[in-house]
């Protein structure tokens, strides 16, 4: 009777609320925004740690383009012959064309000192490229899985564990990205000069997109399994098709965020507001990497971990490097695997 009186005294409703059940952590679009909101603070901190990946390159570009050493040059190759025609006697048509194609530009040129500084900045970025991606991927994997994450110590722990492979693949990764970037600019400039060059431009875009999606997976597999670089590339290429829906969603999300930032920068510059030009530096790289990792990790979990490791041992699968060494058989047996509950 006394306990019943106490219960009535401290009760504020007629029915007791049931305990909350386990949270649904299925990697859906809805849970992405929920997880992003929870981890936004650590993502911004991680973004600061990721700054060397692009900050040194930005400094090198500023040194090149904003230097005082510039030379006047013409924008159009037709300027020289038109000027010769005009000097030889000219004609109304030649003089009109000369006025159209005579616009000049002030192009920066490299001095020995600036060249050395730019080369050092680019070399530092290339040499540390793989290590920086390894450390960032390790932290992002912890955030995506909901594990405890100590950003700074985990960052350097992952680098130490993957010191050799991270270095060599980082060099390969940087070279591939540079080559693809140069090819895109080259074939874009020549795409209107024939069918073959236009076709090559489209092919370079397709190859660049495929490789960007492969990069979603490579560093996560590197920090999770003991695989050779050849098998990392082969598995990542297979994942391009196995996770096509999630890959497309990640690409669209990254393109949307980058596009919105470009629009804000253009609008801000038109009204003299420079904050949109600086603000993306503090969140855009980590946010883009988080979207790529959120798309990639569930696919790796589904095809490389779940078929081989019991879910009760999911916290210790990193200590079993021999569990999976290849993904070809997994891809061939895809039809026999249980269908995912949600993508």
């Amino acid at each position: 009777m006394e306990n019943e009186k106490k219960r009535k005294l401290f009760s504020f409703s007629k029915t007791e609320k049931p305990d909350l059940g386990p949270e649904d952590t299925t990697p859906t679009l809805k849970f992405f925004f929920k997880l992003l909101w929870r981890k936004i603070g650590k993502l911004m901190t991680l973004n600061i740690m990721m700054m060397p990946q692009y900050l040194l390159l930005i400094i090198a570009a500023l040194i090149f383009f904003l230097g005082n050493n510039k030379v006047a040059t013409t924008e159009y190759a037709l300027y020289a012959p038109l000027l010769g025609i005009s000097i030889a006697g000219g004609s109304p048509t030649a003089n009109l064309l000369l006025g159209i194609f005579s616009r000049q530009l002030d192009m920066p040129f490299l001095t020995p000192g600036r060249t050395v500084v730019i080369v050092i900045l680019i070399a530092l970025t290339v040499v540390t490229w793989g290590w920086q991606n390894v450390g960032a991927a390790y932290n992002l994997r912890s955030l995506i899985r909901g594990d405890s994450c100590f950003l700074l110590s985990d960052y350097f722990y992952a680098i130490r564990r993957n010191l050799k492979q991270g270095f060599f693949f980082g060099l390969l990764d940087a070279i591939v990205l540079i080559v693809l970037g140069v090819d895109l600019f080259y074939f874009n400039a020549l795409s209107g000069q024939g069918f073959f060059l236009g076709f090559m431009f489209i092919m370079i875009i397709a190859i660049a997109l495929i490789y960007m999606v492969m990069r979603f997976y490579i560093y996560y597999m590197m920090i999770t399994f003991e695989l050779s670089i050849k098998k990392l590339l082969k598995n990542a290429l297979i994942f391009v098709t196995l996770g096509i829906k999630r890959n497309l969603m990640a690409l669209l999300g990254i393109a949307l965020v980058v596009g919105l930032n470009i629009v804000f920068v253009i609008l801000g510059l038109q009204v003299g507001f420079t904050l949109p030009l600086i603000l993306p530096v503090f969140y855009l790289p980590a946010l883009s990497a988080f979207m790529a990792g959120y798309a990639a990790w569930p696919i790796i979990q589904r095809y490389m971990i779940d078929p081989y490791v019991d879910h009760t041992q999911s916290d210790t699968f990193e200590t079993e490097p021999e569990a999976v060494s290849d993904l070809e058989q997994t891809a061939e047996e895809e039809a026999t695997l249980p269908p995912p509950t949600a993508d």
Side-chain angles (χ1 to χ4, degrees), residues 305-315:
I305 300 174
D306 290 348
Y308 302 94
V309 181
D310 187 83
H311 290 282
T312 59
Q313 300 175 346
S314 60
D315 293 335

Side-chain angles (χ1 to χ4, degrees), residues 48-244:
I48 297 175
M49 298 170 60
M50 294 172 63
M51 278 188 176
Q53 291 187 19
Y54 55 90
L55 191 59
L56 297 181
L57 298 179
I58 293 176
I59 295 174
L62 292 176
I63 292 174
F64 177 76
F65 288 105
L66 300 182
N68 295 323
N69 300 313
K70 296 182 180 180
V71 61
T73 184
T74 57
E75 184 177 2
Y76 301 100
L78 288 175
Y79 173 77
L82 289 173
L83 180 62
I85 295 173
S86 177
I87 294 174
S91 66
T93 303
N95 292 333
L96 176 62
L97 292 175
L98 180 63
I100 295 175
F101 294 103
S102 62
R103 187 174 68 175
Q104 294 188 346
L105 301 174
D106 291 330
M107 291 295 295
F109 67 92
L110 293 174
T111 61
R114 290 166 61 190
T115 302
V116 170
V117 174
I118 291 175
V119 169
I120 291 175
L121 293 175
I122 295 176
L124 285 174
T125 303
V126 171
V127 168
T128 62
W129 182 255
W131 294 332
Q132 295 181 67
N133 282 279
V134 164
Y138 193 90
N139 281 323
L140 287 167
R141 188 190 67 176
S142 298
L143 296 177
I144 292 168
R145 295 198 311 186
D147 298 340
S148 59
C149 181
F150 303 95
L151 294 177
L152 191 61
S153 60
D154 289 354
Y155 187 89
F156 290 103
Y157 168 73
I159 292 175
R160 289 195 302 269
R161 281 187 56 191
N162 302 273
L163 191 65
K164 184 177 179 181
Q165 191 175 51
F167 173 75
F168 286 108
F169 181 77
L171 292 180
L172 176 63
D173 188 23
I175 291 171
V176 171
L177 291 176
I178 292 172
V179 170
L180 287 175
V182 172
D183 286 345
L184 284 173
F185 281 106
Y186 177 78
F187 286 107
N188 181 42
L190 301 178
S191 59
Q193 300 184 15
F195 172 78
F196 176 75
L197 293 174
F199 174 76
M200 287 300 299
F201 178 60
I202 296 175
M203 289 299 297
I204 291 296
I205 292 177
I207 293 172
L209 288 175
I210 291 173
Y211 185 71
M212 292 304 296
V213 174
M214 290 173 62
R215 294 184 76 253
F216 291 179
Y217 298 91
I218 291 174
Y219 287 101
Y220 288 100
M221 288 189 291
M222 185 184 300
I223 63 175
T224 307
F225 308 102
E226 290 187 4
L227 299 174
S228 64
I229 291 179
K230 178 182 177 181
K231 289 183 178 180
L232 288 174
L233 292 170
K234 181 172 63 176
N235 290 355
L237 184 59
I238 295 173
F239 279 139
V240 171
T241 55
L242 290 182
I244 186 167

